Amino acid sequence: MTTNLTIGERVAWYRRRRGMPQEVLAGLVGRTADWLSKAENNRIELDRLSVITSLAEALDVSLGDLLAEPNLMEWSADSGHRTVPALRAALMDYTQLTPLLGHTPSDEPPALQDLRTDVAEVLDAYQASRYGFATRRFPRLLADAHAASRAYSGRKGEEAHALLALAYHGAAMVLGKVGEAELAWIAADRGLAAAQHSGRSAVTGSLFRAVTHCLLATGHFAAAIQLVHDASGVMRPGLDDAGGEYVSVYGSLFLAGAIAAARAEDRATAHAFLQEADKSAQRLGGDANHMWTAFGPTNVAIHRVAAAGELGDIQIAADLGPQIDTSGMPVERRARHGIEVARALSARNRTDEALAVLLEAEQLAPEQVRHHYLSRELVIGWVRGTRGRPAHPVVGLARRLRIIDGG
């Protein structure tokens, strides 16, 4: 019924391409051949990134190969007909990066106030899960931000570099959401370089967070944990007289680190990072959205559920997740939490509840749900696991996610 492969079926496909018996691959990841057979035949769900990453490493493929990322960005009124390839071309345009290549500006640089507005627009779009809208605007925004960073000096030059860094941060986060992990890494790396010219510690911290997310997306969990340790050490001395922006960025860094630790199956570090993030949330005094972090007690609770899911503590995630009130959070946070809750409920065989939660997340953020590997894997499992024809809501969702033919 479906032309999409499950993660287990992709493992089997790459294993056969490598000419590797099941016993060999199972041994490389510390499992039995029986376990691998069940995983490849969809009798065991592969929904923990720690396990999927170990399989990818053993098969010498990327994490994205097993997750089927990236997948096609749909054309829409928001995106137009120029999507990720146009942004890729902008990231590869090296004339923007150095005057040594003879780049001369043909127009006046944008006013910083206009650039601030444009940067805020795309970061707001990211938090609204409007990825097509943001992707369409990033090429021009990056060109304008580079022009400003070359044209202004002094305090204005620092602000221009800060805005350039935040533009790259937004590009990295959107590219990560649509599965373009390598492009996201390029954007985050460029953003961190720009941030260091801004003289603004909160902006630099924000780009540390972006790089951490890129390491997460590519399965480099140990490197992500180390980066959080190192970056937080750099930022910690500034906490004494820090404002809301700085505290939020600092706390958010530990949230990303907690997920990295959970995916590395480092339970102690995951809990320690969550505890440090909670201290920052309490210091902040409530939920806020400084520097587009959506940081505060609610986001810490959201990450506790996500970490529990990654650690295999499904019962904790299923019990705690539905209790969290995310109504005050940006759309991206609400939808991402919904996907996590749906995973936990489905794993507890509460499929109807899981479907209801995922449909609610899709209504909030259709682009986010379509591009997330967990939602695709859940729906494939529901379609495959139904005797006879799946229920109409499942079929409709599968069609919207392009898992089955829309006819």
Side-chain angles (χ1 to χ4, degrees):
M1 187 173 180
T2 173
T3 59
N4 281 39
L5 299 180
T6 65
I7 293 173
E9 289 164 346
R10 290 184 204 106
V11 169
W13 191 85
Y14 282 111
R15 179 181 59 75
R16 295 188 194 102
R17 289 289 300 272
R18 294 294 188 204
M20 188 183 295
Q22 283 184 332
E23 293 80 2
V24 173
L25 178 57
L28 289 173
V29 298
R31 305 280 180 155
T32 66
D34 180 63
W35 175 89
L36 182 60
S37 176
K38 289 177 179 176
E40 291 184 348
N41 287 285
N42 304 316
R43 286 181 286 160
I44 292 176
E45 290 187 7
L46 290 176
D47 61 356
R48 293 178 59 199
L49 280 179
S50 59
V51 177
I52 300 168
T53 300
S54 66
L55 288 164
E57 290 174 351
L59 290 166
D60 191 28
V61 299
S62 74
L63 180 59
D65 288 330
L66 294 187
L67 300 182
E69 290 182 333
N71 64 43
L72 185 68
M73 178 175 280
E74 297 287 340
W75 286 341
S76 67
D78 267 356
S79 71
H81 290 184
R82 296 274 289 165
T83 57
V84 173
L87 179 49
R88 179 184 291 110
L91 291 172
M92 298 302 179
D93 182 4
Y94 281 89
T95 64
Q96 297 285 348
L97 303 181
T98 172
L100 296 176
L101 297 178
H103 178 82
T104 55
S106 56
D107 300 309
E108 289 293 317
L112 290 180
Q113 178 57 49
D114 293 339
L115 192 58
R116 281 195 294 270
T117 299
D118 292 343
V119 168
E121 182 182 51
V122 294
L123 287 168
D124 288 345
Y126 164 73
Q127 288 197 318
S129 299
R130 297 178 63 193
Y131 303 142
F133 176 93
T135 300
R136 183 179 189 175
R137 281 155 179 76
F138 274 127
R140 179 57 191 233
L141 173 61
L142 291 173
D144 286 346
H146 272 291
S149 70
R150 288 190 299 267
Y152 294 111
S153 59
R155 296 288 291 270
K156 288 186 175 182
E158 291 178 353
E159 181 176 1
H161 277 95
L163 292 169
L164 175 60
L166 290 173
Y168 271 125
H169 184 166
M173 299 302 278
V174 169
L175 286 165
K177 287 290 188 182
V178 300
E180 295 281 356
E182 302 302 329
L183 291 179
W185 173 263
I186 292 171
D189 183 61
R190 301 255 181 89
L192 184 56
Q196 292 173 74
H197 290 289
S198 73
R200 301 188 180 188
S201 299
V203 173
T204 301
S206 189
L207 269 296
F208 283 140
R209 182 168 62 99
V211 173
T212 303
H213 278 288
C214 290
L215 291 169
L216 275 171
T218 51
H220 294 88
F221 307 138
I225 293 168
Q226 188 60 52
L227 176 56
V228 171
H229 278 301
D230 294 342
S232 62
V234 170
M235 294 186 70
R236 194 170 290 115
L239 283 173
D240 290 341
D241 55 354
E245 282 191 356
Y246 197 90
V247 171
S248 296
V249 169
Y250 178 81
S252 294
L253 190 62
F254 284 102
L255 294 182
I259 301 304
R263 290 178 182 173
E265 301 189 307
D266 183 348
R267 186 177 297 269
T269 299
H271 289 166
F273 280 176
L274 285 168
Q275 187 174 22
E276 191 66 26
D278 188 58
K279 290 179 183 177
S280 295
Q282 298 307 317
R283 179 172 182 163
L284 192 65
D287 293 329
N289 195 27
H290 298 296
M291 296 280 291
W292 294 274
T293 57
F295 186 70
T298 302
N299 209 355
V300 173
I302 287 171
H303 279 77
R304 286 192 190 281
V305 172
E310 295 294 349
L311 287 165
D313 300 332
I314 299 301
Q315 187 63 57
I316 294 174
D319 291 343
L320 178 61
Q323 298 177 27
I324 299 173
D325 179 7
T326 64
S327 59
M329 290 284 99
V331 165
E332 183 275 331
R333 289 285 78 210
R334 295 171 65 189
R336 180 64 185 88
H337 180 63
I339 294 170
E340 196 64 52
V341 171
R343 165 169 70 167
L345 293 172
S346 184
R348 302 303 298 172
N349 293 317
R350 295 160 63 180
T351 305
D352 290 345
E353 294 172 74
L355 175 60
V357 171
L358 192 58
L359 287 171
E360 183 178 353
E362 186 204 22
Q363 188 173 25
L364 283 171
E367 289 181 80
Q368 185 175 356
V369 169
R370 178 172 183 268
H371 282 282
H372 203 285
Y373 86 94
L374 271 178
S375 53
R376 298 197 306 270
E377 195 71 9
L378 283 171
V379 176
I380 290 172
W382 296 337
V383 170
R384 298 280 190 88
T386 303
R387 290 185 178 181
R389 184 173 178 81
H392 178 73
V394 175
V395 172
L397 181 56
R399 285 175 174 160
R400 293 191 296 276
L401 299 189
R402 304 296 190 265
I403 288 168
I404 63 175
D405 194 319

